[in-house]
């Protein structure tokens, strides 16, 4: 009896990814759920540090993962702020360029070979000091801008 030979199955072709898709996969937020990200942050930093850093009421008044996720899903600016914190402080990825700041954190790309580092060690005091320094620098820039514009106006008669 002759065995019937089955035609060989063609090897499955792997889907080719574009360069942008490959670079997006290098983003630590790629495929990470909001709940998992928040759980990682709370486990490492705790609610008090997250509240001090971001000042979200859901991190201050009876904080829980479930209520915070619900708030963050509804509030795009808060979610983007948390994702930026995750990338910069927890994963210590390179700082976003001015052009990248216009793009939501989940859509930012990172070059091949850039890997996350150990989380930044933070305290409530270090966050408050950093916020005070940033506020002072902002006031300084704003006052320089006002003083430069005072003398450059139209001549009055």
């Amino acid at each position: 009896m002759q065995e019937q030979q089955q035609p060989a199955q063609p090897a499955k072709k792997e889907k080719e990814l574009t360069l942008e898709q490959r670079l997006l996969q290098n983003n630590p937020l790629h495929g990470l759920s909001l709940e998992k990200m928040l759980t990682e942050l709370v486990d490492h930093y705790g609610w008090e540090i997250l509240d001090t850093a971001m000042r979200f009421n859901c991190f201050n008044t009876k904080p829980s993962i479930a209520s915070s996720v619900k708030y963050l899903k509804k509030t795009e600016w808060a979610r983007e702020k948390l994702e930026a914190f995750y990338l910069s402080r927890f994963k210590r990825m390179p700082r976003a360029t001015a052009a990248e700041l216009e793009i939501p954190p989940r859509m930012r790309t990172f070059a091949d070979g850039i890997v996350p580092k150990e989380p930044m060690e933070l305290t409530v005091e270090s966050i408050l000091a950093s916020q005070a320094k940033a506020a002072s620098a902002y006031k300084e820039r704003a006052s320089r801008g006002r003083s430069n514009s005072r003398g450059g106006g139209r001549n009055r008669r």
Side-chain angles (χ1 to χ4, degrees):
M1 224 182 191
Q2 285 185 332
E3 286 184 30
Q4 290 184 344
Q5 291 204 347
Q6 297 278 339
Q9 296 268 336
K12 286 189 179 179
K13 203 175 191 181
E14 284 195 34
K15 185 178 173 184
E16 296 246 350
L17 299 177
T18 65
L19 176 61
E20 185 175 359
Q21 289 171 323
R22 286 197 319 268
L23 294 177
L24 272 174
Q25 286 182 329
N26 202 27
N27 185 328
L29 295 171
H30 181 76
L32 182 67
S33 73
L34 197 52
E35 182 177 359
K36 175 121 175 70
M37 175 181 35
L38 188 57
T39 301
E40 285 181 36
L41 289 170
V42 170
D43 287 348
H44 186 78
Y45 292 119
W47 292 109
E48 185 179 16
I49 287 177
L50 291 177
D51 176 45
T52 303
M54 283 170 265
R55 302 186 188 274
F56 298 158
N57 196 37
C58 65
F59 291 172
N60 185 14
T61 308
K62 297 182 184 177
S64 74
I65 298 292
S67 67
S68 297
V69 167
K70 184 177 177 181
Y71 170 74
L72 292 165
K73 282 185 177 180
K74 289 193 280 186
T75 316
E76 184 178 349
W77 67 265
R79 183 176 57 252
E80 288 181 5
K81 186 174 181 179
L82 182 74
E83 290 172 347
F85 177 88
Y86 182 86
L87 288 174
S88 66
R89 302 276 176 93
F90 190 68
K91 292 295 182 178
R92 295 179 55 205
M93 298 299 282
R95 193 174 288 246
T97 64
E100 289 172 330
L101 289 175
E102 301 297 318
I103 303 168
R106 279 196 185 269
M107 299 307 296
R108 293 183 192 152
T109 59
F110 294 94
D112 284 329
I114 294 178
V115 294
K117 299 176 186 171
E118 289 296 313
M120 188 180 282
E121 291 305 317
L122 299 173
T123 63
V124 169
E125 293 76 20
S126 70
I127 292 168
L128 293 173
S130 176
Q131 289 170 344
K133 183 177 176 182
S136 176
Y138 175 79
K139 284 181 184 177
E140 177 65 28
R141 282 192 309 274
S143 69
R144 270 189 274 143
R146 284 194 299 271
S147 66
N148 289 344
S149 65
R150 285 186 184 147
R154 284 190 254 161
N155 292 335
R156 294 183 185 198
R157 293 180 194 215

